[in-house]
Amino acid sequence: MINLNLATIKSMISYLYIIIFFVSIVHTYLYTPNECPREDSLQYCLDVYIRGPTYYRKDFAYENDLLLERNSRVIHFPVAFVHPLDVFDVQSAIICGKNFNFTVIARSGGHSDESYSIGDRDCTLVVDLRYMNNIIIDANTQTAKIGPGVTLNTLFYSLSVHDFAFPSGECSTTGVGIILGGGLGYLMRKFGTSSDNLLDAQIVLANGTIVDHVKEYHELYWALRGAGNAGYGIVTSLTLKIYPIQKIVTSMVFTYDFDQTQLVFSVVNELGNSFHPNLTIQINHENVDKFEILGFYLGSSNDAKPHVQKLIELTNPKNESYVEGDWYNRLIVNDVGRRNIYKCKAFYIDSSGLSYEGVEYLMGFMKNFANNFLVRTMLVTGKVNEIGRNETAFVHRGLLYMLFLEITLDEVNYETRLKDLEIFSQAFQENYTSYEGYQNHLDKDLYNWQCRYYAENFGKLVEIKQKYDPNNLFNWNQSIPTNSEISCYSIK
Ligand SMILES: Cc1cc2nc3c(=O)[nH]c(=O)nc-3n(C[C@H](O)[C@H](O)[C@H](O)COP(=O)(O)OP(=O)(O)OC[C@H]3O[C@@H](n4cnc5c(N)ncnc54)[C@H](O)[C@@H]3O)c2cc1C
């Protein structure tokens, strides 16, 4: 038995203090961000010219800003977070950044899967747009003018009050980055992607010029619809096409056993192109024990049922449920989980669908993968495919699915899980999917991302970048470069 007298306890406590002291030194050493050259000059410039709050590394509020990044897998230490109150603050931030040689990065909702809204290294200057969050709805012209700090939740809610809708994703906290890089969701088969519905924008360019109507600059307007979040400037206002919407819509859930996966894919491969435009579905696997088709129909459940009858007959779900309501309440998903550690991959599947072998391979991954995962297979088609591949920078047309795979990570076996995902993804991509990937679900490990995200539009995007940001002020791993040897014309 150990005899603990007062002296022993005292000496144990002092040892503990010594250990804590050394651990904190090591921690500080490891986590102190790099010094940034010309930081003082930049700070002076920002303090003089910016009206909104700016947080530097020494400020308590700086850490809150860091934690707004949704994915905690990636961390870098920006030199500062600027919070502009208006377009002139954005302009000043860009000019200060440019004058003192800092890379400038825009942040709206902070949902970049690789945290590119704090850049890809320390010492970037982040322009966080959350306070520029006006929404003006014009029912006569069926347009909405929104600030870049608006999230999907506030946009959708404001529109629904006026019986209008806008096609986009459904996660409540996503910002306007989604609109600039595409934007897929339950309304896309009827109305197209979000970027298809970007009518105009105000943008501040690398040289500080404020362009009030990007529509008058044809090539820049072309680039913003699909690559607007890839380094052309900071978008400070977006004019959107909005649509009158049914007062009652129906969301549907059809549940299945995991081993019905093969059947479900073969049926949706067959029917997917011919569904009514008011109907959109997603095939969702949340680990192996939750397998569902989620459907969304613009109209009542009685109207919806004939349009899913064949799907039901052929796939034989265990349960069916239909819930009616207004589109905002049926569609928006409250992002309560917010920040977590994850990695995702996105694949486009050709118009013939995912083959038997492809489904088999995917099921094998799902059965064997040790951590939590989500596989969300979105049926694209409809209006999205009625627009030409080169009409805007968003090239992904004529495809059947965008398949999104997200894994949740923890400290245990972190590297092994990432490697498992990578091995699966490379083989899956090579053998069973189209060449293309989705630029709104970024993956810094994606080989030849230039051609996968932008395909034959990449060359033109580089030329436009060269013209509007020749010194590459807005740059990170997967932003559009100012020049490139890569040609994507032969692919596809
Ligand atoms: C939980 C979750 C759900 C998602 N659901 C969907 C979905 O249903 N459908 C879908 O299509 N996508 C979806 N996405 C992906 C999403 O579209 C992209 O991550 C999108 O880029 C996020 O935009 P953001 O403004 O929130 O992110 P941010 O991280 O702020 O920005 C993303 C990128 O855009 C740039 N950017 C942001 N604002 C501006 C601006 N004003 N001007 C110029 N560049 C800017 C940033 O610099 C950054 O590189 C989802 C992502 C997450 C994390």
Side-chain angles (χ1 to χ4, degrees):
M1 208 169 102
I2 304 167
N3 191 6
L4 286 179
N5 60 26
L6 197 61
T8 320
I9 292 172
K10 272 187 180 167
S11 81
M12 280 170 76
I13 290 174
S14 26
Y15 276 126
L16 199 64
Y17 275 123
I18 292 168
I19 289 168
I20 290 172
F21 175 72
F22 279 113
V23 168
S24 67
I25 287 185
V26 172
H27 182 270
T28 315
Y29 176 75
L30 282 179
Y31 290 93
T32 300
N34 294 326
E35 295 267 307
C36 304
R38 299 166 305 277
E39 191 167 343
D40 291 347
S41 316
L42 177 76
Q43 180 168 349
Y44 181 76
C45 185
L46 296 174
D47 288 348
V48 170
Y49 292 108
I50 310 276
R51 290 186 309 121
T54 299
Y55 302 125
Y56 304 95
R57 293 158 177 224
K58 59 182 167 29
D59 297 325
F60 191 64
Y62 175 94
E63 196 172 334
N64 291 341
D65 258 320
L66 264 188
L67 297 180
L68 282 175
E69 284 302 304
R70 197 174 189 287
N71 195 349
S72 46
R73 180 173 51 84
V74 192
I75 186 82
H76 305 291
F77 297 94
V79 65
F81 289 94
V82 176
H83 297 273
L85 300 184
D86 56 23
V87 65
F88 301 109
D89 271 359
V90 174
Q91 183 183 44
S92 303
I94 287 177
I95 293 171
C96 289
K98 176 169 88 73
N99 286 352
F100 297 103
N101 251 331
F102 284 86
T103 292
V104 178
I105 308 277
R107 177 165 77 179
S108 290
H111 275 44
S112 164
D113 293 321
E114 293 292 350
S115 295
Y116 286 151
S117 46
I118 50 171
D120 63 355
R121 54 190 176 270
D122 287 357
C123 296
T124 56
L125 174 61
V126 175
V127 181
D128 180 306
L129 299 150
R130 91 183 76 142
Y131 296 136
M132 296 175 64
N133 53 10
N134 269 0
I135 301 182
I136 301 167
I137 294 167
D138 186 336
N140 291 326
T141 56
Q142 304 199 346
T143 58
K145 195 170 180 185
I146 66 169
V150 168
T151 58
L152 289 188
N153 188 43
T154 41
L155 173 62
F156 288 179
Y157 181 74
S158 312
L159 291 176
S160 72
V161 169
H162 295 87
D163 293 326
F164 280 101
F166 178 73
S168 201
E170 60 264 12
C171 171
S172 58
T173 47
T174 310
V176 305
I178 191 172
I179 301 172
L180 300 170
L184 310 179
Y186 283 113
L187 302 183
M188 68 182 157
R189 293 192 73 250
K190 179 83 171 179
F191 304 125
T193 67
S194 309
S195 63
D196 294 337
N197 290 285
L198 178 66
L199 298 178
D200 201 355
Q202 182 188 60
I203 184 169
V204 188
L205 302 174
N207 63 7
T209 305
I210 299 173
V211 173
D212 280 323
H213 295 287
V214 90
K215 200 156 188 184
E216 290 161 8
Y217 296 67
H218 294 295
E219 51 191 5
L220 196 53
Y221 176 50
W222 177 88
L224 287 200
R225 288 171 293 159
N229 56 8
Y232 288 93
I234 299 189
V235 174
T236 43
S237 158
L238 300 90
T239 306
L240 311 175
K241 169 101 186 102
I242 56 173
Y243 296 89
I245 195 87
Q246 284 79 352
K247 280 203 185 303
I248 297 292
V249 305
T250 305
S251 57
M252 294 161 259
V253 183
F254 309 139
T255 57
Y256 300 90
D257 283 328
F258 182 72
D259 57 17
Q260 289 174 281
T261 303
Q262 203 51 273
L263 173 69
V264 167
F265 268 101
S266 72
V267 171
V268 182
N269 285 349
E270 208 53 45
L271 302 181
N273 266 305
S274 57
F275 280 138
H276 190 279
N278 281 17
L279 175 71
T280 303
I281 64 158
Q282 297 182 3
I283 305 170
N284 268 25
H285 288 85
E286 232 180 293
N287 305 326
V288 282
D289 41 18
K290 193 170 172 196
F291 172 32
E292 303 169 327
I293 288 185
L294 305 179
F296 194 84
Y297 182 81
L298 295 170
S300 68
S301 58
N302 280 340
D303 289 346
K305 282 177 185 167
H307 296 296
V308 290
Q309 192 185 344
K310 204 162 173 195
L311 176 71
I312 301 286
E313 274 170 20
L314 294 174
T315 57
N316 193 22
K318 290 193 299 180
N319 288 302
E320 302 166 39
S321 74
Y322 301 80
V323 183
E324 293 181 341
D326 64 274
W327 81 277
Y328 167 76
N329 281 303
R330 294 315 324 141
L331 192 141
I332 203 79
V333 174
N334 273 319
D335 188 20
V336 279
R338 262 314 252 170
R339 194 167 155 80
N340 66 9
I341 315 178
Y342 69 94
K343 171 84 186 177
C344 67
K345 302 274 178 187
F347 314 88
Y348 269 104
I349 314 288
D350 285 326
S351 58
S352 52
L354 191 57
S355 66
Y356 183 90
E357 295 75 20
V359 177
E360 202 69 3
Y361 193 65
L362 179 64
M363 287 175 75
F365 171 79
M366 293 196 273
K367 270 192 266 188
N368 295 320
F369 191 68
N371 281 27
N372 287 336
F373 64 82
L374 170 71
V375 178
R376 188 179 179 211
T377 310
M378 299 170 107
L379 178 71
V380 185
T381 66
K383 180 81 182 184
V384 179
N385 286 351
E386 288 167 22
I387 296 168
R389 286 174 65 85
N390 315 122
E391 276 182 56
T392 69
F394 187 85
V395 76
H396 316 295
R397 314 286 180 176
L399 301 155
L400 193 70
Y401 305 118
M402 194 282 288
L403 189 152
F404 163 78
L405 164 56
E406 176 184 301
I407 62 163
T408 308
L409 292 157
D410 48 42
E411 280 83 33
V412 185
N413 296 322
Y414 181 96
E415 291 300 335
T416 317
R417 297 292 164 265
L418 281 176
K419 208 165 152 203
D420 293 344
L421 176 69
E422 197 56 46
I423 291 169
F424 161 77
S425 299
Q426 283 188 18
F428 187 61
Q429 194 146 47
E430 203 174 311
N431 298 312
Y432 307 114
T433 77
S434 89
Y435 196 79
E436 293 171 26
Y438 180 31
Q439 61 269 40
N440 257 349
H441 278 306
L442 292 155
D443 168 16
K444 77 170 172 38
D445 306 309
L446 185 64
Y447 170 71
N448 205 12
W449 59 267
Q450 299 86 339
C451 302
R452 295 186 193 272
Y453 293 159
Y454 305 108
E456 67 269 22
N457 290 338
F458 180 66
K460 183 169 165 188
L461 285 169
V462 174
E463 281 167 28
I464 300 168
K465 171 79 175 181
Q466 168 74 242
K467 183 165 170 187
Y468 289 98
D469 182 15
N471 298 318
N472 216 1
L473 180 74
F474 308 105
N475 82 84
W476 56 95
N477 258 334
Q478 295 183 332
S479 56
I480 304 289
T482 49
N483 54 58
S484 173
E485 306 272 283
I486 293 172
S487 164
C488 302
Y489 284 102
S490 55
I491 294 160
K492 181 76 196 161

